């Protein structure tokens, strides 16, 4: 990060920590993902605040045990700002975070599992120390620099780097496949239903 902060191609850099968690509701555990972020940097560089329905990124920054919860999770568990949500990490450690905001991406598969916390809270949830990060996001001035920079990072540091064009292509492909499967299942069900009705009528 320090090496690229002064790079003329780079507008900003934000580290993240992705931690697998389970949201606890009584004896029921719901699969989830807690993403540790620098909230103000995410808002400044990636418009994170545009997706926050209630609360703000600054509320997360000012609350060490705070969480901005996906709208889908909040609805499932009947939770709102000011409530505490109990969670469990894969190692069985239980902890609670205070809901300081709700966000909605518009994608149900994200809003039903994703939540945001400070980096330190996510590191603790993952059972890791302060030097632990899972992702580093670069915001560039020119989008055309994305692919060359991704290749450069891979060659220099031996990491997996993906540029915005490749990421979008993967997302589009995944969405197309999911839609195709859904369509095929829908058509199959219609054919089966139609066949059933035909048999009944004859």
């Amino acid at each position: 990060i320090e090496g690229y902060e002064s790079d003329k191609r780079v507008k900003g850099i934000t580290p993240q920590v992705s931690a697998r968690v389970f949201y606890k509701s009584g004896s029921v555990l719901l699969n989830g993902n807690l993403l540790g972020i620098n909230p103000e940097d995410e808002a400044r560089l990636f418009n994170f605040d545009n997706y926050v329905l209630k609360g703000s990124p600054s509320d997360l920054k000012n609350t060490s045990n705070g969480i901005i919860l996906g709208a889908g999770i909040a609805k499932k568990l009947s939770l709102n700002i000011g409530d505490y949500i109990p969670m469990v990490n894969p190692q069985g450690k239980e902890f609670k975070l205070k809901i300081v905001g709700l966000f909605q991406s518009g994608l149900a598969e994200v809003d039903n599992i994703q939540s945001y916390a400070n980096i330190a809270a996510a590191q603790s949830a993952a059972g890791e120390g302060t030097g632990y990060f899972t992702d580093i996001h670069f915001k560039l001035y020119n989008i055309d620099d994305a692919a060359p920079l991704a290749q450069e990072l891979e060659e220099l540091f031996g990491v997996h780097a993906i540029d915005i064009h490749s990421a979008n292509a993967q997302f589009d492909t995944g969405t197309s496949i999911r839609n195709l499967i859904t369509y095929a299942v829908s058509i199959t069900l219609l054919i089966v239903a139609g066949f059933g009705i035909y048999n009944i009528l004859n």
Side-chain angles (χ1 to χ4, degrees):
I1 292 174
E2 290 176 358
Y4 276 90
E5 280 179 332
S6 59
D7 192 297
K8 292 181 179 179
R9 297 169 293 178
V10 178
K11 183 176 182 180
I13 306 173
T14 60
Q16 294 184 348
V17 175
S18 181
R20 185 184 174 202
V21 295
F22 299 96
Y23 306 109
K24 190 174 181 183
S25 178
S27 60
V28 177
L29 297 178
L30 301 177
N31 190 43
N33 187 64
L34 183 65
L35 194 62
I37 61 172
N38 288 323
E40 290 187 333
D41 288 343
E42 290 291 333
R44 176 175 58 87
L45 296 171
F46 300 106
N47 302 317
F48 173 61
D49 51 330
N50 289 349
Y51 301 96
V52 179
L53 298 176
K54 294 183 179 180
S56 73
S58 60
D59 294 328
L60 186 59
K61 179 188 176 185
N62 297 328
T63 310
S64 60
N65 67 333
I67 184 173
I68 293 181
L69 198 62
I73 308 163
K75 185 176 181 180
K76 280 183 180 180
L77 302 182
S78 300
L79 295 172
N80 211 328
I81 290 179
D83 294 333
Y84 283 83
I85 179 167
M87 306 169 80
V88 183
N89 71 7
Q91 292 76 40
K93 177 186 175 183
E94 296 190 20
F95 57 99
K96 291 182 179 181
L97 296 178
K98 183 179 180 179
I99 301 172
V100 298
L102 300 176
F103 89 97
Q104 187 168 33
S105 68
L107 297 171
E109 56 264 38
V110 174
D111 298 336
N112 287 336
I113 65 169
Q114 187 71 56
S115 57
Y116 295 86
N118 292 301
I119 284 179
Q123 288 169 334
S124 177
E128 300 288 346
T130 56
Y132 177 80
F133 300 100
T134 57
D135 302 271
I136 299 174
H137 289 186
F138 289 70
K139 179 65 177 282
L140 307 180
Y141 288 104
N142 187 341
I143 196 171
D144 294 331
D145 289 330
L149 181 58
Q151 184 176 353
E152 181 180 316
L153 291 167
E154 287 189 339
E155 291 173 356
L156 282 173
F157 301 105
V159 296
H160 175 64
I162 184 166
D163 64 273
I164 186 69
H165 303 295
S166 300
N168 283 342
Q170 289 179 7
F171 178 78
D172 290 341
T173 300
T175 301
S176 298
I177 290 171
R178 284 194 298 272
N179 289 343
L180 180 61
I181 291 171
T182 302
Y183 181 72
V185 169
S186 298
I187 293 300
T188 301
L189 291 175
L190 286 172
I191 291 170
V192 171
F195 183 70
I197 291 170
Y198 178 85
N199 281 336
I200 291 170
L201 293 177
N202 291 277

